């Protein structure tokens, strides 16, 4: 198994490559402080756009989780991506080549297409990471699972010592990637 | 043929096999941009659906994912390799798994090109150029 630092580096490289080649956008790594600011800003924007929110209620972001179970000789576990639905819609629209809609922020994308696109996003990022990390060792990926994250979830929560976390910024919106090794490792 | 001109070609019928509808749309769009004379583009969500389409239609090129429910891309390629009438079909794998082992497995199944996701449009264009009567130069 590779070192944790190598796993983090290869994950970031995989995110960069996937977003560059298939989603035509840049990825910036960010620390916890900047990530928290991004989450706060995005939640404030969402609350401003949704005037139906109860007055005084803390702003909430609508988050999506795309997860892929992976199994390789060198590692196995769960690969999870958390991102606001606004970013998910933007990424899928960008992947499908509808930059006008993506740039304007007015993206009319059916939930089914957003879910499918984010499953593919998770699949590609996880596969790219494992290809780079495994140095030509084969691996298996399960079908991706995409779901809305229940309200009240904390995007800033720390991970355990065994888990890996990557915080990034895409298009001024936060994305959190978590790798949970299986219990057998 | 004069350099810089393109041969008169018959439109190519293509089958895209991927369990992600979004990825099928992306591949279809990239094929459209490749400036290859394309006839009909068929889509299937798994290997079994692909076999039904191959049995009912004349297909010159298949782009297939590997990890799919119901029937995997490798099972599909294995079936194509066993059918005499399908020996001329150009087989292109489009997969997230870029490992050497997977590429070797694909080669053993007579795959003509292996494209790793994420890919650039040129990768699809280059794969299409392997169809015998398509000249992109």
């Amino acid at each position: 198994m590779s070192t944790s630092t190598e796993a983090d580096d290869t994950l970031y490289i995989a995110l960069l490559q996937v977003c560059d080649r298939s989603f035509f956008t840049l990825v910036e790594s960010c620390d916890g402080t900047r990530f928290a600011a991004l989450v706060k800003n995005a939640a404030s924007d969402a609350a401003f756009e949704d005037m139906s929110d109860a007055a005084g209620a803390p702003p909430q972001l609508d988050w999506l989780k795309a997860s892929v179970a992976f199994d390789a000789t060198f590692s196995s576990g769960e690969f999870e991506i958390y991102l606001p639905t606004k970013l998910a819609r933007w990424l899928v629209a960008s992947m499908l080549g509808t930059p006008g809609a993506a740039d304007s922020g007015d993206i009319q994308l059916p939930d089914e297409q957003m879910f499918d696109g984010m499953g593919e996003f998770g699949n590609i990022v996880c596969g790219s990471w494992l290809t780079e990390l495994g140095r030509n060792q084969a691996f298996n990926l399960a079908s991706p699972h995409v779901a809305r994250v229940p309200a009240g979830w904390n995007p800033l929560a720390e991970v355990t010592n065994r888990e890996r976390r990557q915080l990034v910024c895409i298009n001024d919106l936060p994305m959190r990637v978590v790798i949970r090794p299986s219990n057998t490792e | 043929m004069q350099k810089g001109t393109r041969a008169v070609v018959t439109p190519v019928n293509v089958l895209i096999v991927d369990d992600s509808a979004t990825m099928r749309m992306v591949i279809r769009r990239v094929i459209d941009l490749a400036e290859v004379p394309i006839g009909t583009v068929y889509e299937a969500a798994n290997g079994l659906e692909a076999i039904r389409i191959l049995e009912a239609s004349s297909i010159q090129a298949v782009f297939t994912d590997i990890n799919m429910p119901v029937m995997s891309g490798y099972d599909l390629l294995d079936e194509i390799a066993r059918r005499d009438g399908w020996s001329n079909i150009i087989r292109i794998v489009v997969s997230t798994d870029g490992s050497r082992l997977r590429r070797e497995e694909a080669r053993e199944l007579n795959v003509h090109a292996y494209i790793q996701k994420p890919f650039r449009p040129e990768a699809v264009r280059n794969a299409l150029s392997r169809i015998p009567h398509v000249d992109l130069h």
Side-chain angles (χ1 to χ4, degrees), chain A residues 147-159:
Chain A
R148 291 184 191 278
V149 178
W153 171 74
N154 178 14
L156 307 173
E158 293 294 329
V159 294

Side-chain angles (χ1 to χ4, degrees), chain B:
Chain B
M1 189 176 71
Q2 198 176 11
K3 193 174 181 182
T5 61
R6 188 181 301 156
V8 177
V9 296
T10 308
V12 174
N13 293 337
V14 175
L15 171 59
I16 302 167
V17 193
D18 199 303
D19 56 332
S20 165
T22 306
M23 183 48 68
R24 293 199 303 271
M25 288 174 71
V26 169
I27 295 172
R28 178 188 278 260
R29 184 166 164 267
V30 172
I31 288 172
D32 287 342
L33 293 171
E35 297 180 347
V36 172
I38 298 296
T40 304
V41 178
Y42 298 86
E43 294 186 21
N46 59 62
L48 193 60
E49 278 186 21
I51 287 172
R52 288 179 184 144
I53 292 171
L54 286 166
E55 287 174 338
S57 315
S58 172
I59 306 287
Q60 283 76 50
V62 173
F63 288 78
T64 184
D65 189 12
I66 294 301
N67 285 316
M68 291 180 289
V70 184
M71 181 189 271
S72 75
Y74 279 129
D75 288 339
L76 167 64
L77 292 166
D78 193 40
E79 187 65 26
I80 291 174
R82 286 199 278 120
R83 302 255 191 135
D84 289 339
W86 295 350
S87 59
N88 290 331
I89 295 174
I90 297 294
R91 289 150 250 186
I92 299 145
V93 167
V94 186
S95 173
T96 55
D97 189 339
S99 68
R100 189 178 301 147
L101 179 65
R102 292 286 185 244
R103 289 172 188 271
E104 286 170 1
E105 286 174 351
R107 199 172 297 123
E108 288 171 9
L109 289 167
N110 299 324
V111 166
H112 299 80
Y114 195 107
I115 299 172
Q116 186 187 347
K117 300 174 190 173
F119 56 82
R120 293 192 186 280
E122 301 83 68
V124 173
R125 179 187 160 94
N126 291 341
L128 285 171
S129 71
R130 292 174 180 246
I131 300 172
H133 55 278
V134 171
D135 181 3
L136 294 171
H137 303 292

Side-chain angles (χ1 to χ4, degrees), chain A residues 47-123:
Chain A
F48 180 74
E49 289 165 10
D50 183 6
M51 299 305 288
S52 63
D53 274 359
Q60 289 282 325
L61 256 186
D62 188 16
W63 288 82
L64 211 63
K65 172 185 172 185
S67 57
V68 182
F70 62 93
D71 183 25
T73 53
F74 53 92
S75 184
S76 63
E78 195 82 17
F79 186 92
E80 300 173 348
I81 293 175
Y82 298 83
L83 74 172
T85 52
K86 183 178 182 180
L87 178 55
R89 289 184 195 283
W90 189 90
L91 284 170
V92 176
S94 182
M95 185 188 195
L96 291 172
T98 51
D103 291 345
S104 71
D106 180 25
I107 301 169
Q108 302 298 320
L109 203 64
D111 273 6
E112 186 184 2
Q113 196 165 45
M114 176 179 71
F115 278 55
D116 181 83
M118 288 324 299
E120 190 62 15
F121 180 80
N123 191 47

Side-chain angles (χ1 to χ4, degrees), chain A residues 6 18 37 54 57 71 78 117 138 143 164 175 180 182:
Chain A
E6 186 182 4
V18 171
D71 183 25
E78 195 82 17
S143 293
R164 311 299 309 163
M175 178 187 285
R180 303 185 196 282
S182 63

